[in-house]
Amino acid sequence: MFAALRHGSTTATRALWSRSILSRNASKTALYAGTRTFTQSSISPTFIHTHNAAAPTHRGHRHQPDASAVLEARKEPKDASLITEFQQLGDDGLVHDKVVRTITQNMGLSTMTEVQSMTLSEIIKGTDVLAQARTGTGKTLAFLIPTLQNIIDRDPRLVNKEALRTARSTDIRALIISPTRELAEQIAVEAKKLTQNTGVRVQTAVGGSAKRLGLQEIHRKGCHILVGTPGRLIDIFSDRENGIAAPNLSALVLDEADRLLDQGFAEDIQQLQELLPDTRDVDRQTLLFSATVPKGVMSMVSKTLKPDYKFVQTVKEGEEPTHNRVPQKLIPVRGMENMIPSLVELSLREIETAKTNPATQRPFKAMVFFESTSELQLAYKVFQRVQRSAEYKKKFGRTQLLEIHARLSQGQRTRAANDFRHAESAVLFTTNVTARGMDFPNVTHVIQMFLPSQREQYIHRLGRTARANSEGVGYLIAPEFQVEEVPSKLHGLPLQLDNTLATAEIDLANETIDVSDDSLGILDSVSRAYNRFDDEDFIQTHQSMVGALWWNPDRRGLIEALRRLATIGWGMDTPPTVDKKFLDRITGSSRQSKKSFGRSSSGRSHRPGVKFPHSRGRSEMNSHGRDRRQRRF
Ligand SMILES: Nc1ncnc2c1ncn2[C@@H]1O[C@H](COP(=O)(O)OP(=O)(O)OP(=O)(O)O)[C@@H](O)[C@H]1O
């Protein structure tokens, strides 16, 4: 499969490759400058923008008689941003003592993060808020705490657990929307923790899970806070006969708001809003939270929020709101066929480093992001075969391998998410379904296979590590044709070039270069794993990769890279062709359909040789010490 390689050293190849990359990039060490550290004390000033000269509206609920007892005890803090301790929220009467006790005693939190202290009093006042804060800085509690407090304000009965007994399915007070099912479930878990000592009932409504059972649960136990994904929520609220309603809805929260307001979801959000009570009849607060707010969604933001909304940013205007403190490494690979070997090499190295330095290194826990589900599934099986192989089983040790993507059932996705959450050492293969908001503990590495098409995706994925002030590292493994695109797409991010992986640089088409035993072992094992697939698997993966990577400006480079992957990596005689109709569909233009890929007209190729040539070849080579040139493996 991979072209024949000669045993020896990779030094010469490595030097060549490094030169070619560095010549394209001005700096040898840092591609992009800039560092910033997030701590409560050191963070740059937070900016609050008011979007109307008029004073912020104080909502009617503050004057409702049944809330007066609670409100009486509450004092306005002189400067809310100065409150940093949760306990102080209780002392100042801003948040009910019972809720504060839950936060400090049950959840073990004492100091607020900046986004929490900067948004809390605004939200409690009833103002619409757009909050932008870096990933992993506690945005979930930032909207949950004041939303819960406002619910209790309006109906003080709900502070007591007894209220759970009378909770109804027609009394939904707050709706929290998330773009993905996993994130909705995660937010609901956090909301349940926060409300555990109150009479506020939290329920979920996500696509993919048994709809009838979900409805039954809401009917049986009632609901005050409903967390869900747009499609399922539309389903629920468009059915006027299902006994679920929100006539007193006072809060609508959009987590990962930029995603929910972009083209993919905007219509759904619009439709959902139309199904909710008219805001002229029932006053409603809207909260938008996100780590990124691209300019493109600002018009939707202003349509969604009241004109006097507050825009709270916890970074200086103009600064990139992301983990600039997270070390980020760019591993340029010679071709796509080098990507899985590089991932294997990186994983083995990091597992070993953690094992030998248990006092300083946390166990290897990585999220690996792929651009398409087919590519992920192929890579997962290859990685799994390598991991289980006699040569590598021991080296991978107890590191679990897991996958989460759209082709799994919701049950499988939820189980994998829980397994990953609780795993000490694991590698999770995933797609953008877990890129946003997911809070898996102790993720040490985020590895992105290919440069994503959107800068925001890179930032959100990276944000799965180094959360809540812990440490982590990001890797971007990108083939040569994408490397030139990196500086413009990821400008301002502190990526550093990393040439430490031998398998990244080996020219697998070159039969004369020297390769170390370690690299050879990995290439051999990956190659054997590929040999167990049918051509159909490759054809499908090839097609989905074309679709996922077609945005790259260097399409010639992409086509060539795919050709190499199919022939050198997968061992096909000719690369699959791409259906014209498919190209039309992904490009939306007939002009592009003239392009065709590969030489095979049938799209089906025939790999020469028999299955598993490499395992045989390798053991023969090892035992007989023959030259590895001319050997296909
Ligand atoms: N005040 C706090 N002190 C310590 N840890 C906190 C605090 N608030 C939240 N956390 C923890 O920080 C982690 C990240 O929080 P959360 O998931 O809300 O981040 P986020 O800002 O929503 O991230 P993303 O942008 O990725 O969605 C969680 O494990 C949460 O429990």
Side-chain angles (χ1 to χ4, degrees), residues 40 84 86 103 107-116 133-143 145 183 186-187 190 193 255-256 289-292 323 435-441 459-460 463-464 467-469:
Q40 179 76 308
T84 55
F86 283 114
I103 297 169
M107 299 171 82
L109 302 176
S110 53
T111 306
M112 297 166 80
T113 65
E114 183 163 61
V115 66
Q116 290 164 356
R134 275 170 263 170
T135 52
T137 53
K139 291 190 285 299
T140 315
L141 280 178
F143 61 73
I145 297 170
L183 182 54
Q186 180 182 289
I187 295 168
E190 197 80 347
K193 280 189 209 155
D255 193 19
E256 306 299 339
F289 275 73
S290 186
T292 49
H323 289 273
R436 285 170 172 265
M438 293 307 293
D439 185 47
F440 296 114
I459 292 168
H460 283 280
R464 298 316 100 209
R467 297 176 70 73
N469 279 338

Side-chain angles (χ1 to χ4, degrees), residues 320-544:
E320 195 54 52
T322 189
H323 289 273
N324 276 359
R325 70 187 178 87
V326 180
Q328 292 157 60
K329 301 183 183 186
L330 167 65
I331 299 180
V333 289
R334 181 167 287 268
M336 288 187 192
E337 64 280 7
N338 297 69
M339 293 182 80
I340 300 300
S342 300
L343 179 63
V344 171
E345 184 182 345
L346 177 64
S347 305
L348 287 169
R349 184 182 78 188
E350 302 295 286
I351 289 169
E352 185 58 29
T353 307
K355 249 193 251 165
T356 45
N357 307 289
T360 54
Q361 306 277 329
R362 289 176 300 159
F364 180 64
K365 190 164 175 182
M367 290 178 78
V368 186
F369 285 96
F370 289 84
E371 291 296 286
S372 86
T373 307
S374 297
E375 181 205 353
L376 179 157
Q377 288 179 299
L378 186 80
Y380 179 86
K381 285 182 194 142
V382 170
F383 198 94
Q384 189 178 52
R385 285 167 190 169
V386 173
Q387 193 192 20
R388 289 179 180 172
S389 67
E391 298 95 310
Y392 292 105
K393 206 172 174 171
K394 203 158 161 214
K395 291 189 174 156
F396 276 102
R398 292 157 72 92
T399 303
Q400 287 183 58
L401 180 62
L402 298 159
E403 58 181 333
I404 298 181
H405 50 78
R407 289 201 193 135
L408 298 178
S409 70
Q410 191 49 41
Q412 290 171 313
R413 283 166 66 162
T414 305
R415 259 194 309 283
N418 284 336
D419 287 350
F420 188 63
R421 197 163 273 125
H422 296 119
E424 195 180 41
S425 174
V427 182
L428 173 67
F429 277 35
T430 187
T431 58
N432 281 330
V433 298
T434 57
R436 285 170 172 265
M438 293 307 293
D439 185 47
F440 296 114
N442 299 318
V443 173
T444 54
H445 293 66
V446 165
I447 303 169
Q448 307 197 35
M449 305 294 276
F450 292 106
L451 174 68
S453 61
Q454 283 170 15
R455 177 186 176 75
E456 281 75 30
Q457 276 169 9
Y458 175 90
I459 292 168
H460 283 280
R461 290 163 165 192
L462 181 70
R464 298 316 100 209
T465 188
R467 297 176 70 73
N469 279 338
S470 68
E471 300 296 314
V473 59
Y475 280 91
L476 170 61
I477 300 183
E480 203 171 352
F481 79 91
Q482 279 197 322
V483 171
E484 285 195 29
E485 194 58 21
V486 174
S488 60
K489 186 81 62 191
L490 303 182
H491 62 86
L493 289 157
L495 264 90
Q496 297 213 319
L497 200 57
D498 183 315
N499 284 322
T500 58
L501 293 183
T503 53
E505 303 168 356
I506 299 169
D507 179 358
L508 299 171
N510 186 338
E511 303 187 352
T512 60
I513 56 166
D514 296 335
V515 176
S516 72
D517 259 348
D518 286 347
S519 300
L520 201 58
I522 292 170
L523 294 170
D524 186 21
S525 192
V526 169
S527 178
R528 271 183 285 142
Y530 276 139
N531 264 332
R532 292 166 65 184
F533 290 97
D534 293 328
D535 277 357
E536 280 309 321
D537 297 318
F538 294 136
I539 290 165
Q540 195 189 346
T541 304
H542 184 271
Q543 172 148 322
S544 84

